[in-house]
Amino acid sequence: MQRLLASYRAIPVDATVRLAKPTSNLFRVRAKSSAPGLDTSGLTGVISVDPDARTADVAGMCTYEDLVAATLPHGLSPLVVPQLKTITLGGAVTGLGIESASFRNGLPHESVLEMDILTGAGEVVRASPVENVDLFQAFPNSYGTLGYAVRLKIELEPVKPFVALRHLRFHSLTELIETMDRITETGGLDGERVDYLDGVVFSADESYLCIGVQSATPGAVSDYTGSAIYYRSIQHEDGEKHDRLTIHDYLWRWDTDWFWCSRAFGAQNPRIRRWWPRRYRRSSFYWKLIGYDQRFDIADRIEVRNGRPPRERVVQDVEVPIERTADFLEWFLDNVPIEPIWLCPLRLREDRNWPLYPIPPRHTYVNIGFWSSVPVGPEEGYTNKMIERKVSELDGHKSLYSDAFYSPEEFDELYGGEIYPTVKKTYDPDSRFLDLYAKAVRRQ
């Protein structure tokens, strides 16, 4: 903590305060700064786990990989474990996170009992449902513009050693969404409890729901950290397919191939994969490759050399009300040449107000994730802007970890309105941190 505060005081008063962070799970290109950043090197671990109370005290820059490693030996897990190992707890809370438990457990910030936050005033304040409530409620989706979480106390839930999987195939997107809605409403399917729920769309007539049920029954399990690829294992002709994973491997099933994005690096080619070191089959290594590409424009140079136009990055997660999800998917498949598409239903756990990402309680939304690129259009961000308009038309939102093109007026309407500047003025009176619009849209 003292190292963090000392690094804050070392930043010139006319410089924007940023993290001195070598890695990121953001797809927004950050402006370079010559000023030193906040030293968070002492804030990377799990402070304690209380198995009886089912809580954990966690430093803000602790990765979910380290957090899960500390809780699973107690038969416990965070209520929502985002899909990539290097996502930090503080990052998932301030930038939102989601996973297949979100249909019953909501979003990561809903399991936070209290936080210690470094504010723009250079003070560490406690935020909870009873202390600095305005900051506690506005912190989710603020992306470090209201402060940085130094310590978080979170709820945990008991988990069993294995997850039994059913992959249900659908030939109709409408039928898939209807089944997803029924599971979310009832918590089960065919009389059996459901613990985890997500899905994958390969095309309009090939989509899957992946249903997970925790199990204590020993038995054979699959391994998708080697030659087998998880998302390919989902596919089959008709009906349903069964599988089993350890709880550890289930939580990280998407990380080995960064969902399906490792194919961009050739890592899914069997001839390359057999020589690709296992320790590099993980999202953090693919992030390094993305960083080299952004630094040296490697992909665009290759396109130009092959006589093709540059490509527009379309890497987004959007939330759409479940009753509008089939409409969005049909439109997307007709207009955007990207597949597969990830689906993850979510429902907020409580009626608490989260003003910077206002999803109504007791209503199911579906997170729709698509991560690739398309040929450039007639203007910068052409396809991303088209998607933003469609999401707004369907009363949805999109996450702000990647490129955004909203006008200031649109942005205010979607992400906090007058509440954000009021909280910002209270806890960052001298604007030491960036403004949310400047960070998310202007990429400052």
Side-chain angles (χ1 to χ4, degrees):
M1 181 74 73
Q2 294 305 314
R3 196 182 308 164
L4 174 73
L5 293 173
S7 67
Y8 176 91
R9 291 190 289 268
I11 299 172
V13 294
D14 58 348
T16 300
V17 176
R18 302 175 186 267
L19 293 179
K21 187 179 178 185
T23 62
S24 172
N25 282 289
L26 298 179
F27 270 88
R28 284 187 266 105
V29 177
R30 297 188 297 177
K32 294 182 179 180
S33 173
S34 59
L38 290 173
D39 183 354
T40 59
S41 59
L43 303 173
T44 59
V46 176
I47 300 167
S48 65
V49 176
D50 187 333
D52 296 325
R54 295 179 182 171
T55 62
D57 271 305
V58 187
M61 295 296 292
C62 177
T63 66
Y64 272 92
E65 181 176 24
D66 290 340
L67 176 54
V68 165
T71 63
L72 281 188
H74 300 284
L76 298 170
S77 168
L79 271 61
V80 177
V81 179
Q83 311 92 328
L84 305 181
K85 293 178 177 179
T86 56
I87 292 175
T88 63
L89 178 59
V93 171
T94 193
L96 305 186
I98 192 167
E99 235 296 333
S100 58
S102 289
F103 80 102
R104 60 183 176 84
N105 285 339
L107 299 174
H109 58 267
E110 293 188 90
S111 64
V112 175
L113 301 172
E114 64 183 30
M115 294 180 280
D116 292 339
I117 298 173
L118 173 67
T119 70
E123 302 171 339
V124 176
V125 303
R126 178 71 48 84
S128 74
V130 295
E131 298 176 89
N132 297 304
V133 180
D134 52 350
L135 178 60
F136 183 77
Q137 293 180 337
F139 194 75
N141 208 46
S142 63
Y143 281 91
T145 65
L146 297 177
Y148 291 103
V150 176
R151 181 194 66 89
L152 305 95
K153 185 176 183 179
I154 63 168
E155 298 176 67
L156 304 173
E157 69 174 6
V159 291
K160 296 177 181 177
F162 304 99
V163 176
L165 288 167
R166 295 169 62 190
H167 302 311
L168 307 185
R169 164 132 190 198
F170 294 85
H171 298 274
S172 161
L173 292 172
T174 299
E175 290 181 11
L176 178 142
I177 298 303
E178 287 175 351
T179 305
M180 177 186 287
D181 195 19
R182 187 162 66 251
I183 294 171
T184 302
E185 288 288 340
T186 64
L189 181 67
D190 302 331
E192 183 178 40
R193 183 193 75 256
V194 172
D195 296 311
Y196 304 108
L197 177 64
D198 62 356
V200 180
V201 176
F202 290 90
S203 68
D205 61 1
E206 185 189 2
S207 57
Y208 301 87
L209 282 184
C210 303
I211 296 168
V213 178
Q214 293 180 27
S215 171
T217 305
V221 293
S222 297
D223 178 6
Y224 296 106
T225 63
S227 60
I229 298 169
Y230 176 72
Y231 85 99
R232 289 301 184 194
S233 76
I234 293 169
Q235 293 181 277
H236 58 277
E237 288 299 322
D238 281 299
E240 63 183 75
K241 181 178 180 181
H242 293 258
D243 200 356
R244 276 170 53 88
L245 293 171
T246 66
I247 181 65
H248 175 275
D249 285 357
Y250 177 80
L251 294 176
W252 302 128
R253 69 202 181 284
W254 292 120
D255 187 84
T256 301
D257 284 287
W258 204 0
F259 286 82
W260 32 82
C261 296
S262 69
R263 64 187 180 184
F265 311 110
Q268 294 179 28
N269 183 321
R271 290 176 296 178
I272 297 176
R273 193 176 185 87
R274 63 180 297 188
W275 299 108
W276 195 293
R278 186 180 291 250
R279 67 183 181 278
Y280 293 148
R281 291 182 201 146
R282 51 182 287 143
S283 61
S284 57
F285 181 71
Y286 305 135
W287 261 114
K288 292 181 180 179
L289 298 180
I290 288 288
Y292 290 133
D293 177 53
Q294 292 178 344
R295 182 178 178 184
F296 299 109
D297 296 323
I298 297 171
D300 283 347
R301 290 171 185 264
I302 292 173
E303 294 298 307
V304 170
R305 182 173 297 177
N306 289 308
R308 296 188 294 261
R311 298 182 68 83
E312 174 187 352
R313 182 177 61 195
V314 181
V315 177
Q316 304 288 354
D317 280 73
V318 303
E319 266 87 42
V320 176
I322 195 164
E323 67 272 15
R324 313 298 296 274
T325 299
D327 294 338
F328 178 84
L329 290 171
E330 290 167 0
W331 171 88
F332 187 91
L333 290 169
D334 286 340
N335 291 276
V336 184
I338 293 176
E339 56 78 26
I341 304 165
W342 186 60
L343 306 179
C344 186
L346 70 103
R347 194 164 188 161
L348 297 186
R349 294 173 64 203
E350 302 175 358
D351 290 349
R352 189 174 292 148
N353 179 36
W354 308 103
L356 269 62
Y357 209 72
I359 293 178
R362 298 183 300 279
H363 194 97
T364 303
Y365 279 67
V366 179
N367 176 280
I368 306 166
F370 36 91
W371 316 294
S372 189
S373 64
V374 300
V376 294
E379 62 175 325
E380 181 188 6
Y382 175 79
T383 299
N384 282 283
K385 291 176 183 177
M386 184 170 61
I387 293 168
E388 288 180 352
R389 290 192 296 270
K390 190 65 179 180
V391 171
S392 294
E393 176 188 321
L394 298 177
D395 299 321
H397 283 78
K398 83 168 191 176
S399 299
L400 297 175
Y401 70 86
S402 188
D403 301 310
F405 296 88
Y406 295 110
S407 69
E409 295 75 21
E410 292 173 312
F411 192 85
D412 285 347
E413 183 177 349
L414 291 169
Y415 301 104
E418 290 302 314
I419 294 176
Y420 175 76
T422 300
V423 179
K424 176 81 166 170
K425 186 65 177 176
T426 301
Y427 295 96
D428 186 19
D430 298 320
S431 297
R432 297 299 310 277
F433 301 130
L434 280 173
D435 170 78
L436 183 58
Y437 184 79
K439 189 170 189 176
V441 182
R442 292 178 179 160
R443 309 176 202 170
Q444 293 181 0

